[in-house]
């Protein structure tokens, strides 16, 4: 009895101790600066080692890129009780700033942030769970083509599943800034534009592509472009503004009314449509191979962090984009590009092409890769062509100019690749920064080096000895060429109105950036993937940058969007009707 009473008292004492030891949840607020959108402010609530909530109260990150980190990381921190969750691969600046804001909020709450930096381990290999799913149509990739195909196939009654390997939808399509080329549209008619029809569109696309494009695909794209514009209008994504397409005088570039970039505008609207239709999009899920039976595609194998999926489908649509972020693949077609940087989204690794080829698909124009000559090495940021047209020049690491810096993208890019480092510096001065807004963005984001004299700029660019002397001489020679109105060295004859003599002076390390891969899977006008014997692979369809033939040797601006809307729709329609017939 005595012993029982003692045990009871001990238990009571332990309980009281435990009660007094339980701390109240605490709250804190913290802010950190992101180079992209400025301050990110968060409120955290923590109970002991539990992170109860992380709320972002202030942020201005890029919609569709940084905003993905803003949406996903707080939840991941709460689930793992750790700050050390995986950042979003395409939004590292935002991810890092968000984590810094959370650290500061924890300090504000009187806590040690280090206590919440617990390594988050992925599921062990042995813990992977096999899952089998059955659908009518599986679509691999949720960029422009995949989302369009998904909406279209679902509208026709198919049961559709979309797989996307990145934590966000949009792919390269999200980065498209121009518009969508289309001919004989309601918007052209409303503006009285009559000289930019289907025939002109076909001719411009063929000429722009050095006439190696597949004429039947180009004709299909042009003839269906007006209907594609109407369909976009019907889903709440009108493109009513019409402008001339770069490189031609014809007006078929269709843009959003409010001047927003076409890529983020369309991806947002297409994604909303896909959600409205109730299509499931599995993010962070990578398709790894195509399942076949009797030579037909009947599904895909896929994985996420914890599951191995067998997805049985009556039809498979490959919409995995290009291979502009797969350097090994790039170098196998063009070894000179092994050291090139890319403007492409991290998901553009050519997976659809590889998976298709594995089951016998043919490819076309794989070595046709479009480069942009002024891309910042570390992040793939495009440095605007306006910097050169306003008087900027290019120099190599010997401190010398090496080409007519105002030549075509192809020519300037090849000249850069011939330099020792396969890269160059773009040089501009304070006269240009005063007039060109984008240069302020470069300076604020820390990608420029600067100097009050040419000598100081050379030193900050890392040029020493002879290279530094060359650089000073180059600048003086260039200023003299501008004064004379003649570039005797390289024959540049435009963008020479003003010299580069207004300090401080700036440089950005740039290199040709891979911009678009024109080649890809061979398809017919109904988006069937064609095998190396020239036959249709039953059940397999492809659309968008993963296919080849539409753009030939050079894509004209505005055609990537037209390609993904027109052929995304055809792939959705074809896959839905093929599935219905199985
Ligand atoms: P397109 O313009 O042809 O639609 P995008 O680059 O916009 O091309 O979109 C392709 C999408 O496919 C990207 O979001 C990319 O992350 C996704 N993707 C690429 N490979 C795979 C894969 N193996 N599994 C799932 N999604 C993939």
């Amino acid at each position: 009895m005595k012993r029982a009473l003692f045990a009871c008292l001990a238990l009571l004492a332990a309980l009281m101790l435990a009660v007094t030891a339980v701390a109240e949840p605490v709250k804190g607020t913290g802010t950190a600066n992101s180079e992209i959108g400025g301050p990110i402010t968060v409120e955290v609530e923590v109970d002991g080692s539990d992170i109860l909530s992380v709320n972002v109260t202030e942020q201005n990150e890029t919609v569709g890129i940084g905003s993905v980190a803003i949406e996903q990381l707080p939840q991941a921190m709460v689930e793992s009780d750790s700050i050390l969750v995986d950042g979003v691969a395409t939004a590292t600046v935002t991810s890092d700033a968000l984590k810094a804001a959370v650290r500061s909020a924890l300090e504000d709450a009187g806590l040690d942030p280090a206590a919440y930096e617990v390594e988050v381990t992925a599921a062990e290999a042995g813990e992977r769970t096999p899952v089998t799913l059955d659908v009518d149509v599986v679509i691999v990739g949720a960029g422009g083509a995949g989302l369009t195909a998904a909406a279209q196939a679902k509208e026709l009654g198919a049961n559709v599943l979309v797989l996307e390997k990145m934590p966000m939808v949009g792919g390269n399509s999200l980065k498209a800034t121009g518009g969508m080329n289309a001919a004989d549209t309601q918007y052209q008619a409303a503006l009285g534009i009559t000289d930019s029809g289907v025939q002109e569109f076909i001719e411009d696309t063929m000429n722009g592509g050095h006439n190696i494009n597949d004429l039947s695909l180009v004709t299909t794209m042009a003839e269906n472009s007006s209907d594609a514009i109407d369909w976009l209008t019907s889903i709440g994504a009108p493109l009513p503004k019409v402008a001339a397409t770069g490189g031609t005088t014809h007006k078929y570039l269709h843009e959003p009314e409010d001047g927003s970039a076409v890529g983020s505008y369309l991806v947002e609207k297409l994604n909303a449509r896909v959600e409205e239709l109730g299509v499931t999009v599995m993010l962070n899920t990578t398709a790894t191979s195509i399942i076949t039976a009797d030579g037909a595609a009947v599904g895909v194998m896929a994985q996420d962090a914890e599951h191995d999926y067998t997805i049985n489908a009556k039809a498979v649509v490959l919409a995995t984009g290009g291979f502009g972020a797969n350097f090994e693949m790039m170098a196998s077609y063009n070894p000179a590009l092994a050291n090139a940087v890319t403007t492409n989204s991290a998901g553009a690794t050519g997976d659809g092409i590889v998976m298709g080829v594995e089951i016998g698909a043919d490819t076309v124009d794989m070595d046709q890769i479009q480069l942009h000559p002024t891309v910042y090495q570390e992040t793939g940021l495009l440095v605007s062509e306006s910097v050169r047209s306003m008087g900027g020049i290019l120099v190599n690491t010997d401190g010398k100019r090496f080409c007519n810096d105002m030549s075509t993208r192809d020519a300037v890019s090849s000249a850069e690749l011939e330099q020792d480092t396969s890269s160059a510096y773009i040089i501009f001065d304070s006269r240009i920064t005063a007039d060109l807004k984008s240069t302020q963005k470069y300076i604020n984001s820390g990608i420029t080096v600067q100097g009050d004299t040419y000598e100081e700029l050379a030193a900050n660019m890392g040029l020493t000895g002879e290279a530094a002397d060359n650089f000073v001489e180059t600048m003086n020679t260039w200023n003299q060429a501008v004064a004379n109105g003649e570039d005797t060295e390289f024959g540049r004859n435009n963008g020479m109105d003003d010299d580069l003599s207004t300090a401080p002076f700036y440089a950005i390390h740039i290199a040709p950036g891979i911009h678009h891969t024109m080649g890809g899977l061979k398809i017919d006008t109904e988006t069937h993937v064609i095998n190396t014997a020239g036959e249709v692979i039953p059940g397999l369809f492809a659309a968008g940058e993963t296919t080849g033939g539409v753009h030939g040797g050079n894509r004209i601006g505005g055609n990537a969007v037209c390609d993904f809307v027109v052929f995304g729709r055809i792939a959705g329609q074809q896959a839905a009707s093929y599935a219905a017939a199985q």
Side-chain angles (χ1 to χ4, degrees), residues 139-147 163-166 168-174 267 282 285-288 302 319-322 344-352 355 516 543-547 560 563-564:
I139 294 175
V140 187
L147 291 172
L163 309 178
E164 169 54 57
K165 73 173 176 181
M166 301 300 283
M168 65 211 242
V169 301
N172 275 350
S173 302
L174 195 62
V267 165
M282 290 167 61
T285 308
T286 306
T288 51
T320 49
N344 279 225
S345 119
T349 46
D351 299 11
M355 287 187 278
H516 189 94
E545 201 178 338
T546 198
T547 67
D563 178 7
F564 82 58

Side-chain angles (χ1 to χ4, degrees), residues 25 39 49 98 179 190 229 260 300 302 574:
S49 62
L98 180 63
I229 288 281
S260 46
V300 295
Q574 290 290 328

Side-chain angles (χ1 to χ4, degrees), residues 48-64:
S49 62
D50 283 356
I51 300 180
L52 298 179
S53 65
V54 176
N55 292 322
V56 180
T57 56
E58 180 189 13
Q59 60 93 16
N60 190 23
E61 299 302 287
T62 314
V63 175

Side-chain angles (χ1 to χ4, degrees), residues 515-529:
H515 204 42
H516 189 94
T517 48
M518 270 81 68
L521 294 170
K522 186 171 172 60
I523 54 165
D524 65 12
T525 54
E526 293 180 332
T527 72
H528 295 113
V529 176

Side-chain angles (χ1 to χ4, degrees), residues 71-88:
E71 280 161 25
Q72 299 191 351
L73 261 54
Q75 181 63 21
M77 289 178 187
V78 169
E79 278 168 12
S80 61
D81 294 318
S82 173
I83 310 170
L84 295 188
V85 290
D86 272 349
V88 173

